[in-house]
Amino acid sequence: MKRFQYTPEGTCSRLMEFSLDDNGAVHDVCVTGGCHGNLQGIGRLVEGMDARDAIARMRGICCGRKPTSCPDQLARALERALAD
C-alpha cells in the first residue's frame, strides 16, 4: 500500500492524505480543514472503492460558485496518484 498527500486548490481543505493498495483501491482518506463531517463521510464512502470509480463519481463537482470542491479535489488527487 502506498500513501499519498495532496494540497487542494480552491477549497477550504488544506491537505488530503490517502492510500492506494496494489489493486488501485482507496483507503484511509484523511482531510485537514474543510467541512469535517462531510469529508469524513466522503472518506468512508470511497473506502475500498476502485480509485477510477471514485474519480468518475466525484470529478467535476462544484461547491457553490467555486469551480471545484473537496470531492473534485480528491478526484484530482487520485488521478495524480494513479499517474505516479
Side-chain angles (χ1 to χ4, degrees):
M1 193 148 1
K2 188 170 179 186
R3 190 87 178 143
F4 296 91
Q5 289 187 339
Y6 178 80
T7 303
E9 296 177 10
T11 62
C12 300
S13 57
R14 297 182 307 276
L15 180 65
M16 296 182 169
E17 299 176 277
F18 58 91
S19 297
L20 292 180
D21 66 22
D22 294 338
N23 297 316
V26 182
H27 298 281
D28 306 318
V29 174
C30 180
V31 181
T32 303
C35 303
H36 186 66
N38 290 335
L39 292 167
Q40 275 187 318
I42 291 167
R44 289 185 186 181
L45 287 169
V46 301
E47 179 67 28
M49 182 183 288
D50 185 278
R52 289 162 197 79
D53 292 337
I55 292 165
R57 291 178 184 212
M58 296 185 296
R59 191 70 152 99
I61 293 175
C62 297
C63 183
R65 294 180 185 209
K66 296 177 185 177
T68 190
S69 64
C70 290
D72 180 60
Q73 288 295 300
L74 181 55
R76 292 172 192 227
L78 292 169
E79 287 173 336
R80 185 172 291 173
L82 289 174
D84 276 356

